[in-house]
Amino acid sequence: MATGKINVSVENIFPLIKKFLYSDHEIFLRELISNATDATLKLKHLTNIGETDVEYGNPTIEVKIDKENQKLHIIDHGIGMTKEEVEKYINQVAFSGAEEFLEKYKDSAKDSGIIGHFGLGFYSAFMVANKVEIITKSYKDEPAAHWICEGTTDFTIEEADKKERGSEVILHINDDEKEFLEESKIGELLSKYNKFMPVPIKFGTKEKELPKAEDAPEDEEAKKVTVDNIINNPNPAWTKQPTELEDADYKSFYRELYPMQMEEPLFHIHLNVDYPFNLTGILYFPKLSNNMTMQQDKIQLYQNQVFVTDNVEGIVPEFLTMLRGVIDSPDIPLNVSRSYLQADGAVKKISSYITRKVADKLKSLFNENREDFEKKWNDIKVVIEYGMLSEDKFFDKADKFALYPTVDGNYYTYDELQEKIKDNQTDKDGKMVILYASNKDEQHSYIEAAKTKGYEVLLLDSPIVPHLIQKLESSKENISFVRVDSDHINNLIKKDEEETSKLSEEEKEKLKTDFEKVVPKEKYTVQLEAMDSSAAPLIITQPEFMRRMKEMQQTGGGGMFGMGNMPEMYNLVVNTNHSLISTILSSDEEAQGKLIKQSLDLARLSQNLLKGEELTSFVKRSFDMIK
């Protein structure tokens, strides 16, 4: 038996590991299984290139709990280590076995899926164990070795009588980490981190029902056998070529990723690139509502089939974090714990590539089946509109497939919309005015007024519309978006022709004074407008700029204008050509006050602005008037 000291550059690495190196204790299991996978894949690679005569076979990695003795075992049948290799790769922490292996076989090992980081990854075991053993036998014809360390820089190493090739790591679990001796906890961690590892992982056994013989009686009970419980899928869909998969395979994999998700995804995007970086994956567009809160089911990031995180900000553009699926890349730089991403040039290239692939896929879906794309628009528009707002390259590409739906259920691209409305909706100054509504029911009367003039009204109801139209106005030439309820119809798109008022200037002055006596000035600004006599006598509008800035402030942005704390202000537009307005003008002061109050409340009611005590009072007053 030999003893010695682990070669580390700090006096004692173990407190460092426990306190600083890993943010989460559960990471230890991922690291140890990653090492076991490395060892197995190394053997497979050496076998494939004829470096060894050892038969690879169908090896598994086994995880066993020995609750009685407070031990956790991780067993592989991979490349194993000699005594000298244990001393080099385990004791000399600065070395990484995988890195040296890759360097030696860099040309042929490029696609072998070796994870690396053997050295420090192994020492994460001491976060949960007060003693760790390794019993290992190399694929070379040399004696097995048994290494023991009790969480100090001291270790012992001696020969062992292990006959089978591979390594067994034995963790003597600390008293305060006993949760890692529970089957439920280990099963949860294996499912979280190792669900798609490239080597089968065995954890316990399960009963399997054998198929009945064709001539067996119906009442005969099916026979059951005990089989190894393999908890992972070593060949997940993203590791295959798109030509190997059908639509049903993608949907099946989606359910495998998100077992609690009942709805089918709308469509998928298969990512597969090997230059100038390596990246594979599958992204799914789920059905999305206008609610932009982050979902529980997120995109999962893997490194060579090892789960890293579902916090993919920095890798995936922010607007695509609302999607679901998997991204796998060995080129994403990670710290030792593999939990936090570090921004660098490779990451930016990956992010740009994903943006381009998503845009190309959306364009092809639009071109191949526009009718189907239109049906899905409401479920995907939040992602696309957010992308147009936040990514300039995506904004440029989205011009070919972003849709602008109307209140009548028609869908136009921007170019189609421009062609449709430019003649009728260009104002006297040559600016094209795009009318839109945010709520068909609440803005119904305004929509109808616009339609009587032959105007198209878009239905733009996602939460980021105020921000998006601001960007569109600054990116497109000579256009303006105006919400249909922001002014009366004649002022929405000003033409050369104007209505003539039936009232004299003196009558208009008196009328405005009469209204201002009754109408609360802290909420309404009275405007007199000459409109068609068939139009409503009173119309309540909210100025486009003020309303848009308030909405932008509420959804993030626009705060610089200080609109967030301002009271709601509206314009009360009085139609000087309506017969009711003439009646109000000629009535005595008492009758005038009642008519103005009732007319104002009717206008407020039409815009859902009459509520609570004021609504109750209005209803009672209306019944009294009928009596």
Side-chain angles (χ1 to χ4, degrees):
M1 180 177 78
T3 62
K5 287 193 177 290
I6 296 167
N7 179 16
V8 287
S9 56
V10 291
E11 184 178 348
N12 194 336
I13 195 171
F14 300 102
L16 182 69
I17 289 170
K18 291 176 181 178
K19 290 184 181 178
F20 306 113
L21 190 57
Y22 291 90
S23 59
D24 195 341
H25 280 197
E26 67 183 35
I27 296 296
F28 83 93
L29 188 60
R30 182 187 70 181
E31 295 294 328
L32 294 179
I33 290 181
S34 296
N35 292 341
T37 302
D38 275 356
T40 308
L41 293 178
K42 284 177 183 178
L43 182 67
K44 183 179 182 181
H45 181 66
L46 293 177
T47 304
N48 288 342
I49 64 171
E51 185 82 3
T52 176
D53 295 331
V54 172
E55 188 177 336
Y56 178 69
N58 296 297
T60 61
I61 294 165
E62 184 175 5
V63 179
K64 290 198 309 189
I65 295 171
D66 180 355
K67 197 168 185 179
E68 184 179 345
N69 294 305
Q70 219 164 304
K71 292 193 287 190
L72 184 66
H73 300 248
I74 294 97
I75 305 161
D76 71 64
H77 303 285
I79 196 170
M81 287 182 284
T82 64
K83 180 171 175 284
E84 290 72 23
E85 286 170 338
V86 171
E87 290 181 343
K88 180 177 182 181
Y89 297 135
I90 300 300
N91 298 338
Q92 296 181 31
V93 176
F95 279 98
S96 166
E99 286 179 11
E100 184 180 82
F101 184 88
L102 280 175
E103 179 61 29
K104 184 175 179 182
Y105 298 104
K106 58 186 177 183
D107 295 327
S108 58
K110 188 171 57 177
D111 302 314
S112 62
I114 293 160
I115 298 156
H117 306 294
F118 185 92
L120 286 176
F122 166 74
Y123 279 94
S124 65
F126 287 96
M127 290 191 297
V128 298
N130 52 45
K131 176 181 176 182
V132 178
E133 300 179 61
I134 304 172
I135 304 171
T136 181
K137 180 169 172 57
S138 172
Y139 74 100
K140 302 168 186 173
D141 186 20
E142 293 195 31
H146 185 183
W147 179 91
I148 304 170
C149 179
E150 297 190 15
T152 70
T153 52
D154 295 315
F155 70 89
T156 64
I157 187 167
E158 59 187 357
E159 283 192 12
D161 60 0
K162 179 177 170 64
K163 304 300 181 191
E164 291 185 337
R165 178 193 68 242
S167 299
E168 178 174 4
V169 179
I170 306 166
L171 281 68
H172 297 254
I173 302 296
N174 294 330
D175 288 339
D176 56 354
E177 302 284 358
K178 283 185 180 178
E179 64 174 319
F180 297 112
L181 293 169
E182 299 296 332
E183 281 193 23
S184 58
K185 180 64 175 179
I186 295 300
E188 174 197 324
L189 296 183
L190 291 173
S191 179
K192 177 178 178 180
Y193 291 109
N194 307 105
K195 192 174 182 179
F196 300 109
M197 292 289 283
V199 178
I201 299 168
K202 176 188 173 186
F203 182 54
T205 58
K206 62 181 179 181
E207 282 194 337
K208 182 179 179 182
E209 206 170 84
L210 294 174
K212 288 183 183 179
E214 289 184 12
D215 56 350
E218 282 189 23
D219 58 350
E220 181 179 294
E221 286 191 13
K223 292 181 180 178
K224 295 179 180 178
V225 294
T226 301
V227 297
D228 290 345
N229 181 32
I230 303 298
I231 58 91
N232 62 321
N233 173 4
N235 301 296
W238 84 80
T239 64
K240 301 173 183 177
Q241 292 297 316
T243 51
E244 299 177 60
L245 301 169
E246 297 181 359
D247 195 49
D249 297 315
Y250 287 106
K251 288 180 178 176
S252 175
F253 180 59
Y254 184 75
R255 287 189 292 273
E256 193 176 351
L257 281 174
Y258 310 110
M260 304 305 293
Q261 188 54 245
M262 305 309 292
E263 282 192 311
E264 296 280 3
L266 297 169
F267 51 84
H268 64 267
I269 300 166
H270 198 132
L271 306 169
N272 195 340
V273 63
D274 55 16
Y275 182 82
F277 48 81
N278 287 289
L279 181 138
T280 55
I282 300 170
L283 296 180
Y284 294 92
F285 264 79
K287 284 189 174 183
L288 293 171
S289 65
N290 280 347
N291 185 353
M292 288 180 66
T293 55
M294 292 303 294
Q295 5 256 316
Q296 185 176 359
D297 295 328
K298 301 176 182 177
I299 295 172
Q300 299 174 12
L301 177 67
Y302 287 77
Q303 189 189 73
N304 289 320
Q305 295 175 240
V306 182
F307 176 80
V308 174
T309 181
D310 59 6
N311 178 9
V312 294
E313 289 160 14
I315 294 290
V316 175
E318 190 178 356
F319 77 100
L320 293 178
T321 56
M322 289 180 277
L323 303 188
R324 297 182 182 132
V326 166
I327 291 171
D328 190 331
S329 175
D331 291 335
I332 294 168
L334 306 167
N335 71 352
V336 177
S337 71
R338 308 178 191 216
S339 298
Y340 303 100
L341 305 177
Q342 304 163 352
D344 73 350
V347 170
K348 289 170 186 171
K349 287 177 186 174
I350 288 171
S351 178
S352 179
Y353 165 79
I354 293 170
T355 300
R356 190 176 77 248
K357 284 290 287 186
V358 169
D360 291 345
K361 177 71 173 185
L362 290 167
K363 183 181 176 184
S364 69
L365 288 168
F366 174 79
N367 291 339
E368 289 164 13
N369 190 341
R370 176 164 179 166
E371 184 180 354
D372 184 60
F373 192 83
E374 289 179 359
K375 286 178 184 174
K376 291 174 178 173
W377 177 253
N378 278 336
D379 292 313
I380 63 176
K381 66 184 178 187
V382 172
V383 173
I384 295 172
E385 289 171 352
Y386 188 20
M388 292 170 68
L389 184 64
S390 58
E391 297 276 337
D392 287 339
K393 287 181 180 177
F394 187 82
F395 180 90
D396 295 337
K397 285 179 173 287
D399 234 16
K400 304 300 181 187
F401 55 76
L403 293 176
Y404 298 85
T406 71
V407 291
D408 296 320
N410 298 317
Y411 292 83
Y412 300 108
T413 63
Y414 182 82
D415 287 345
E416 292 167 347
L417 178 68
Q418 185 178 37
E419 191 61 33
K420 176 83 175 173
I421 70 171
K422 65 181 181 183
D423 293 336
N424 196 29
Q425 291 181 219
T426 298
D427 66 15
K428 63 181 182 179
D429 299 319
K431 179 173 281 190
M432 188 176 78
V433 179
I434 302 171
L435 300 179
Y436 72 99
S438 60
N439 188 302
K440 281 168 65 173
D441 293 331
E442 291 180 8
Q443 295 150 18
H444 182 267
S445 62
Y446 299 99
I447 293 168
E448 290 304 304
K451 286 166 72 173
T452 59
K453 286 189 170 283
Y455 297 155
E456 285 284 355
V457 181
L458 301 182
L459 180 61
L460 304 178
D461 57 2
S462 65
I464 57 172
V465 159
H467 301 272
L468 180 60
I469 61 180
Q470 199 87 348
K471 173 146 188 172
L472 286 162
E473 285 172 341
S474 63
S475 303
K476 307 288 185 184
E477 288 187 11
N478 216 21
I479 67 160
S480 175
F481 279 80
V482 177
R483 204 167 88 176
V484 73
D485 61 344
S486 61
D487 210 332
H488 76 80
I489 191 64
N490 290 353
N491 279 352
L492 290 176
I493 305 174
K494 288 191 174 179
K495 304 286 187 177
D496 289 329
E497 68 273 8
E498 290 186 6
E499 291 279 348
T500 304
S501 177
K502 294 177 181 179
L503 303 183
S504 66
E505 290 302 316
E506 291 77 16
E507 288 174 316
K508 286 195 280 187
E509 276 296 321
K510 181 180 182 308
L511 183 67
K512 187 169 185 184
T513 302
D514 293 338
F515 264 84
E516 287 177 342
K517 286 178 185 176
V518 180
V519 175
K521 61 171 72 77
E522 68 274 7
K523 284 190 177 180
Y524 298 95
T525 301
V526 177
Q527 290 179 204
L528 305 184
E529 296 282 355
M531 294 184 274
D532 191 282
S533 58
S534 62
L538 296 181
I539 298 173
I540 294 174
T541 65
Q542 191 171 23
E544 174 74 17
F545 174 78
M546 295 281 287
R547 191 210 69 255
R548 195 189 294 184
M549 288 303 111
K550 281 181 73 69
E551 288 175 347
M552 287 173 69
Q553 204 268 347
Q554 288 164 3
T555 56
M560 69 192 77
F561 297 99
M563 305 286 174
N565 298 320
M566 286 185 65
E568 291 284 351
M569 285 293 294
Y570 299 92
N571 292 332
L572 179 66
V573 183
V574 180
N575 181 2
T576 60
N577 289 340
H578 196 280
S579 57
L580 174 61
I581 302 305
S582 299
T583 302
I584 289 171
L585 187 62
S586 59
S587 298
D588 62 52
E589 189 171 345
E590 183 181 353
Q592 195 178 69
K594 289 180 179 178
L595 285 170
I596 291 173
K597 175 66 175 167
Q598 188 72 4
S599 301
L600 172 63
D601 282 353
L602 280 166
R604 293 170 71 198
L605 184 67
S606 71
Q607 298 311 310
N608 201 30
L609 293 172
L610 198 61
K611 298 174 183 177
E613 185 180 341
E614 289 181 314
L615 177 58
T616 304
S617 175
F618 167 77
V619 171
K620 185 177 182 302
R621 188 188 333 126
S622 298
F623 280 131
D624 290 342
M625 291 174 69
I626 294 171
K627 286 192 294 187

